[in-house]
Amino acid sequence: MKDIFDNVQFGDLKLNSRIVRTGTWETETSEGGFLTPDIYDRYEKIASSGTGLIVSEMFALDHKDRFYPYSTNMNYRGFIKDYQMVTDIAHKYDVPIFGQLAFFYYDDGENQKVEANDIAQEGIRKLQAEVIMAAKKFSFAGFDGIQINMGNNFYLSRFMNPYFNQRDDKYGGNTENRVRISAEIIKVIKKTMDIHVSCRINPWDARKDGMTADESIAIAKELEKAGADSIQLTARTISQIYDKGEKHPFLVYVEKLIDAVDIPVVLGGSLRDMKTINDVLNSSTVEYISMSKPFVAQADFLADWKANGEGVSVCQSCNNCYSKKTSTCFKF
Ligand SMILES: Cc1cc2nc3c(=O)[nH]c(=O)nc-3n(C[C@H](O)[C@H](O)[C@H](O)COP(=O)(O)O)c2cc1C
């Protein structure tokens, strides 16, 4: 029987539970970008209560990015010092922590919002160098890994998606070519740094001629081939992915994905109680589960679940924490 509080191996990392606190922006940085005391307190609660792995809030490459007002530009003075304190908190409780990089737009020097079809090879090299430097900074700040968000509609997800990418050079066309920009980044990071590389990807894209579930699995295999250490699936902020009857397609998809790759795969979205999570774990090949909003509602809720052997998050999935962009629970 699997249980959420099992000690498990996650690629090269040991986790104290199967629960991943997934990327959640803080919107609590002060005027100059520095972290406020509340953030350290939140990380202390998350790390000390039974979380297996923490993914940080998203960091943007650039202050002009779409989600920049709610997240942290990693180019502020003090980034390494501030986040060394955050990673120290996680490590005090033997909890690995990844820095998440998520950028929506890319400025190639010619165009602030250059799209996949229009970026020249020089621009691609500049982008790749910036992502590699971000990984370097994360490692200087003590993060155990980088999670590159290649899901939702973030820049690299658009590169991978045939709906957006119609290039006719080696960065467009078949799956290998559309993944190449990311694969080349991963290869350099793995060759030059001792950090875990996690890729957050979409299970599919509902747009006509967008990415199918089979294509998503082919993408995951390309990322693994390049050296990615784990895959985490995106989940919409409101998603009813677990129905009460037959297995939902998301679970059918994830089992196919788990079968297709030899690296850990993290599933998440809308999971709120220990019984359902343990049921998912024990009725499928899923090994790791991510949660976001339950941690916004109560950062240390896992301590109660662990003590009682059961529990339900107080999060009511109202989604105000997301839609109001404050990362604050309006109910609790
Ligand atoms: C307040 C808030 C902030 C979020 N910030 C991020 C983020 O920085 N990076 C990211 O990849 N996803 C972010 N998400 C999406 C979550 O990681 C997660 O995929 C989604 O909330 C569904 O999971 P849940 O039902 O457990 O909350 C955010 C969600 C919320 C509610």
Side-chain angles (χ1 to χ4, degrees):
M1 285 283 278
K2 290 185 255 177
D3 183 82
I4 69 170
F5 292 110
D6 290 338
N7 291 334
V8 284
Q9 198 69 32
F10 186 83
D12 50 341
L13 300 166
K14 284 194 188 326
L15 311 189
N16 299 324
S17 80
R18 298 179 186 272
I19 301 297
V20 178
R21 193 305 291 254
T22 186
T24 308
W25 60 54
E26 309 287 355
T27 329
E28 283 179 53
T29 44
S30 65
E31 195 85 331
F34 295 91
L35 295 185
T36 59
D38 283 356
I39 296 191
Y40 298 111
D41 185 45
R42 185 184 298 174
Y43 275 104
E44 184 93 34
K45 285 186 171 145
I46 295 170
S48 62
S49 55
T51 308
L53 169 69
I54 299 174
V55 181
S56 74
E57 66 173 321
M58 65 167 82
F59 295 100
L61 281 174
D62 190 316
H63 67 277
K64 297 187 290 292
D65 212 313
R66 175 163 168 190
F67 295 101
Y68 174 73
Y70 330 119
S71 60
T72 303
N73 180 337
M74 50 188 315
N75 301 321
Y76 76 93
R77 235 173 351 124
F79 170 83
I80 290 176
K81 186 168 168 287
D82 274 6
Y83 279 93
Q84 181 72 63
M85 280 156 61
V86 169
T87 59
D88 282 350
I89 290 170
H91 294 153
K92 191 166 76 180
Y93 300 99
D94 290 328
V95 178
I97 178 166
F98 297 167
Q100 192 197 55
L101 186 73
F103 53 101
F104 197 86
Y105 299 122
Y106 188 68
D107 180 352
D108 64 354
E110 309 263 330
N111 180 346
Q112 277 190 11
K113 294 182 184 173
V114 65
E115 281 296 336
N117 284 341
D118 304 317
I119 187 167
Q121 293 219 5
E122 294 75 14
I124 289 177
R125 289 289 170 269
K126 176 175 173 291
L127 180 153
Q128 291 175 319
E130 286 178 34
V131 176
I132 293 161
M133 279 311 297
K136 191 94 206 158
K137 264 196 196 171
F138 286 154
S139 79
F140 283 153
F143 286 103
D144 303 279
I146 178 170
Q147 179 171 85
I148 309 175
N149 197 330
M150 307 174 178
N152 303 106
N153 266 335
F154 286 103
Y155 198 84
L156 294 172
S157 80
R158 301 204 294 282
F159 238 96
M160 289 170 180
N161 191 334
Y163 178 89
F164 292 102
N165 183 342
Q166 284 92 39
R167 295 176 74 97
D168 54 12
D169 64 356
K170 64 176 183 173
Y171 292 99
N174 62 24
T175 313
E176 185 183 1
N177 283 359
R178 281 180 276 110
V179 176
R180 189 182 304 279
I181 184 170
S182 305
E184 288 175 346
I185 292 169
I186 296 167
K187 282 181 192 159
V188 175
I189 296 175
K190 290 308 294 180
K191 207 168 173 180
T192 57
M193 288 167 239
D194 185 22
I195 63 169
H196 187 111
V197 176
S198 154
C199 299
R200 197 166 195 197
I201 64 166
N202 291 325
W204 57 73
D205 171 19
R207 292 178 190 90
K208 188 171 173 294
D209 300 326
M211 187 185 69
T212 61
D214 285 346
E215 177 65 13
S216 163
I217 291 173
I219 285 172
K221 287 170 80 164
E222 286 296 325
L223 295 168
E224 178 185 28
K225 203 163 83 189
D229 297 291
S230 62
I231 300 286
Q232 187 182 327
L233 297 177
T234 57
R236 296 183 63 79
T237 51
I238 304 183
S239 49
Q240 297 302 325
I241 60 168
Y242 304 101
D243 63 13
K244 294 197 174 59
E246 289 295 297
K247 268 191 181 179
H248 189 276
F250 209 102
L251 271 176
V252 175
Y253 159 85
V254 82
E255 293 207 278
K256 274 196 199 165
L257 172 61
I258 291 168
D259 209 33
V261 295
D262 283 325
I263 51 178
V265 173
V266 181
L267 172 71
S270 303
L271 289 161
R272 300 289 178 263
D273 69 278
M274 185 159 163
K275 183 178 176 318
T276 305
I277 296 175
N278 273 337
D279 285 351
V280 169
L281 290 171
N282 285 300
S283 62
S284 72
T285 50
V286 172
E287 300 272 351
Y288 316 96
I289 294 287
S290 75
M291 282 188 264
S292 167
K293 288 189 278 287
F295 287 98
V296 176
Q298 186 191 340
D300 58 359
F301 72 98
L302 282 176
D304 294 340
W305 289 21
K306 201 172 181 180
N308 302 331
E310 60 170 359
V312 181
S313 165
V314 293
C315 170
Q316 295 183 2
S317 302
C318 70
N319 214 36
N320 270 325
C321 57
Y322 181 85
S323 51
K324 303 252 194 275
K325 311 290 186 221
T326 64
S327 212
T328 306
C329 184
F330 287 74
K331 285 203 177 272
F332 302 101

